[in-house]
């Protein structure tokens, strides 16, 4: 296997996002890169930070806290929690992250709101939507989304920024676009319903489907493998 050179893989990921935005006829600033560093060592995050990357996504709370402690000297890191979130982990997330992309029920939102420390800005929240309607996947259903959004909008320590989804894997650009289009439409509907809300974020697109997501309006693409290489640990 070819040795991974992070400066090259990050440059390639940036170029890929820029090309996707250009193909979609969108401005270069319309979407940014979230570097998904789960299972990867703190040293790799540090290297990518030195190359200018600031947004990092983690899935496992304890692993993330360990890396955050190791990287406490880095300025300007924005930590995003993107993994499944259990009630007993909400306090750590409320205290140690700027963003959460995986809120999918009111109980979790309420705990995050109650546990967000007073001295910190509101936690930036995306609601995870079960866009492929698979019984096994997490995420709020489209039917229950408006009620959950309304509840979160009333929580003073959370700021509802948008929606996130992890569609079922699909082959081909058109098949990949379809669930992303549904997520975009769901965000548009929320914007109409709650015109005062800061709903500016579509967190969608990973290594396998970035281009399809950007065509449907992604504003934050979550790239792991494309930047850090294959993961060996289960994730
Ligand atoms: C692991 C993960 C990613 C990154 O996936 P890649 O295919 O490695 O780019 C993005 N989003 C979530 C929620 C993940 O768990």
């Amino acid at each position: 296997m070819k040795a991974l050179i992070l400066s090259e893989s990050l440059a390639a990921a940036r170029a890929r996002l820029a090309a996707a935005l250009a193909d979609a006829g969108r401005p270069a600033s319309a979407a940014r890169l979230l570097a998904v560093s789960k299972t990867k060592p703190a040293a790799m995050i540090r290297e990518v930070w030195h190359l200018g990357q600031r947004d990092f996504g983690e899935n496992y709370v304890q692993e993330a806290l360990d890396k955050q402690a190791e990287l406490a000297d880095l300025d300007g890191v924005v930590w995003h929690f993107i993994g499944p979130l259990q009630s007993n982990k909400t306090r750590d997330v409320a205290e140690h992250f700027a963003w959460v992309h995986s809120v999918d029920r009111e109980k979790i939102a309420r705990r995050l709101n109650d546990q967000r420390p007073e001295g910190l800005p509101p936690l930036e929240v995306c609601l995870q939507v079960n866009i492929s309607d698979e019984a096994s996947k997490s995420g709020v259903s489209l039917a229950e989304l408006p009620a959950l959004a309304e509840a979160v909008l009333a929580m003073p320590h959370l700021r509802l920024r948008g929606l996130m989804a992890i569609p079922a894997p699909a082959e081909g650009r058109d098949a990949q676009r379809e669930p992303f289009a549904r997520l975009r439409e769901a965000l548009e509907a929320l914007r109409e319903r709650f015109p005062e809300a800061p709903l500016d974020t579509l967190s969608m697109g990973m290594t396998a489907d970035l281009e399809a997501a950007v065509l449907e309006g992604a504003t934050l693409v979550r790239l792991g493998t494309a930047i850090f290489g294959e993961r060996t640990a289960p994730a």
Side-chain angles (χ1 to χ4, degrees), residues 169-184:
E171 288 295 327
R173 180 83 39 101
D174 290 346
Q176 290 177 346
R177 283 182 71 164
E178 204 239 333
F180 292 140
R182 287 207 298 276
L183 196 71
R184 173 176 49 73

Side-chain angles (χ1 to χ4, degrees), residues 17-230:
L17 176 58
L21 284 163
D23 279 352
R26 301 175 60 202
S29 61
R32 70 182 198 278
L33 215 53
L34 172 55
V36 176
S37 43
K38 64 179 176 216
T39 80
K40 300 297 181 181
M44 288 179 91
I45 297 176
R46 182 178 295 278
E47 196 175 334
V48 170
W49 179 90
H50 277 292
L51 298 164
Q53 177 67 28
R54 292 295 177 268
D55 289 282
F56 291 91
E58 289 281 341
N59 292 58
Y60 309 106
V61 173
Q62 191 53 53
E63 178 195 331
L65 297 187
D66 291 345
K67 287 190 242 177
Q68 288 175 352
E70 236 178 287
L71 298 167
D73 60 305
L74 298 186
D75 282 334
V77 179
V78 180
W79 292 103
H80 299 243
F81 188 79
I82 63 173
L85 187 46
Q86 270 95 44
S87 301
N88 62 345
K89 300 286 187 192
T90 53
R91 181 175 300 280
D92 285 328
V93 171
E95 291 179 352
H96 295 280
F97 286 81
W99 283 73
V100 185
H101 295 225
S102 45
V103 173
D104 65 357
R105 52 197 194 277
E106 189 175 338
K107 180 187 170 195
I108 293 288
R110 181 140 339 264
R111 290 177 66 90
L112 290 168
N113 180 66
D114 293 347
Q115 294 166 342
R116 183 68 169 173
E118 285 295 336
L120 294 181
L123 189 57
E124 313 283 1
V125 166
C126 290
L127 302 179
Q128 183 173 352
V129 180
N130 183 350
I131 207 70
S132 304
D133 256 357
E134 290 170 280
S136 62
K137 286 271 162 85
S138 41
V140 65
S141 68
L142 282 173
E144 290 169 296
L145 175 62
L148 178 60
E150 188 165 18
V152 170
L153 283 166
M155 298 182 190
H157 304 292
L158 305 184
R159 217 152 76 94
L160 184 60
R161 296 294 297 273
L163 303 178
M164 181 273 242
I166 311 171
E171 288 295 327
R173 180 83 39 101
D174 290 346
Q176 290 177 346
R177 283 182 71 164
E178 204 239 333
F180 292 140
R182 287 207 298 276
L183 196 71
R184 173 176 49 73
E185 287 159 11
L187 184 69
E188 287 164 1
L190 285 184
R191 276 193 185 138
E192 277 185 31
R193 191 158 172 157
F194 307 108
E196 309 293 315
L199 291 163
D200 59 3
T201 303
L202 273 176
S203 168
M204 59 189 198
M206 313 189 349
T207 296
D209 53 17
L210 173 148
E211 285 77 13
V214 167
L215 281 169
E216 294 298 343
T219 66
L220 202 47
V221 297
R222 309 182 308 269
L223 289 191
T225 309
I227 296 172
F228 295 105
E230 297 287 344

